[in-house]
Amino acid sequence: MSVNAVVFDFFGTLTPSTPAHVWDDHAARSAAPLGLPVRTWRTALDASFPERATGSLGDLTATFRTLARRCGVEPTDEALAAACTARLTAQRELFGLRADAVPTLRALRARGLRVGVLSDCTVELAQTWPQLPVADLVDARVLSCEEGRRKPDPELFRLIAHHLDAAPEECLYIGDGGGDELAGASRCGMRAFMLRTSDWADNDAHARDDDWAGPSVSALTDVLTLVRSSAAGADPA
């Protein structure tokens, strides 16, 4: 079946990898206004990721109030606001795209393919999405925090394919492997490729498919070759 759509993961795929020390630095920024030790706050953030990624703790203010209380702190409104501002600023630093992301998305759209993003993410990405350069280059997005589900939930893969007006079998899926996404995409009929870039080993990702035995690409621009191969009648997988 020909390729009619390409679905990309966001973090570590359209964006560069994020090493553990960067997450530590970001945690320190939002821990400081709350008067919490960085390690205590980082542990609370990590442990709550399944809740935060499905939006179950509410908006950022409600989320941070709940997490602070779990850490034994009742934050003032001023401290909470400062912590949320620090978090938003830090998160937005992670939304910068790889150098080849925009050219790749533009080239795919120029060839008549539909482009989607499927991301396990927290409310900060949903809030910032309209201001991102990628927003105008994506035909559909599915964000876990808005859907109340996380990868590899098959409903997420079916949903993004539906929004792209494509069957899962007509979709390529490109991701760094976080959240067991590659196996999940494959089980739903998509042709999954790991993006294994030079910074792949540096990425601190949740439940990554490190033992993925399927195909991979080393740069986003390689996706254009996959699409050309499909158009020529070859199986890109």
Side-chain angles (χ1 to χ4, degrees):
M1 188 176 291
S2 63
V3 174
N4 291 321
V6 183
V7 180
F8 294 91
D9 170 48
F10 187 74
F11 292 106
T13 300
L14 292 179
T15 72
S17 293
T18 304
H21 72 85
V22 174
W23 291 117
D24 287 337
D25 172 67
H26 287 186
R29 297 191 215 174
S30 52
L34 299 171
L36 284 167
V38 176
R39 182 48 49 190
T40 299
W41 187 236
R42 172 75 197 269
T43 298
L45 289 169
D46 287 349
S48 66
F49 180 74
E51 297 169 284
R52 293 185 296 113
T54 53
S56 64
L57 298 181
D59 64 13
L60 184 57
T61 299
T63 295
F64 269 24
R65 190 184 299 279
T66 295
L67 296 186
R69 288 171 174 169
R70 289 179 184 178
C71 294
V73 169
E74 183 62 52
T76 65
D77 289 344
E78 292 76 12
L80 193 60
C84 289
T85 296
R87 170 71 179 185
L88 274 172
T89 299
Q91 283 293 98
R92 285 169 178 164
E93 292 173 8
L94 303 182
F95 299 160
L97 303 175
R98 293 186 183 275
D100 56 350
V102 167
T104 298
L105 298 187
R106 283 180 175 160
L108 290 171
R109 287 167 62 93
R111 294 176 188 185
L113 284 98
R114 292 180 288 280
V115 174
V117 166
L118 171 55
S119 177
D120 274 358
C121 65
T122 55
V123 294
E124 297 92 326
L125 180 59
Q127 180 177 335
T128 309
W129 182 268
Q131 295 137 37
L132 299 180
V134 72
D136 292 333
L137 299 173
V138 169
D139 298 293
R141 75 175 201 202
V142 170
L143 306 181
S144 65
C145 64
E146 296 179 328
E147 302 301 331
R149 301 169 184 267
R150 291 173 58 205
K151 302 172 191 175
D153 190 315
E155 185 59 28
L156 293 175
F157 298 98
R158 288 194 287 263
L159 186 60
I160 188 64
H162 173 73
H163 287 333
L164 294 171
D165 195 26
E169 293 77 13
E170 297 175 311
C171 298
L172 297 184
Y173 185 89
I174 313 297
D176 69 303
D180 198 27
E181 63 187 350
L182 302 173
S186 296
R187 285 192 293 268
C188 286
M190 295 183 179
R191 284 169 277 182
F193 291 79
M194 174 177 277
L195 179 69
R196 193 163 184 138
T197 56
S198 59
D199 64 353
W200 180 85
D202 299 330
N203 204 30
D204 185 15
H206 289 267
R208 194 169 67 175
D209 292 331
D210 286 357
D211 58 350
W212 170 251
S216 64
V217 292
S218 60
L220 289 173
T221 50
D222 291 346
V223 177
L224 302 177
T225 301
L226 298 180
V227 171
R228 282 196 295 269
S229 298
S230 176
D235 184 351

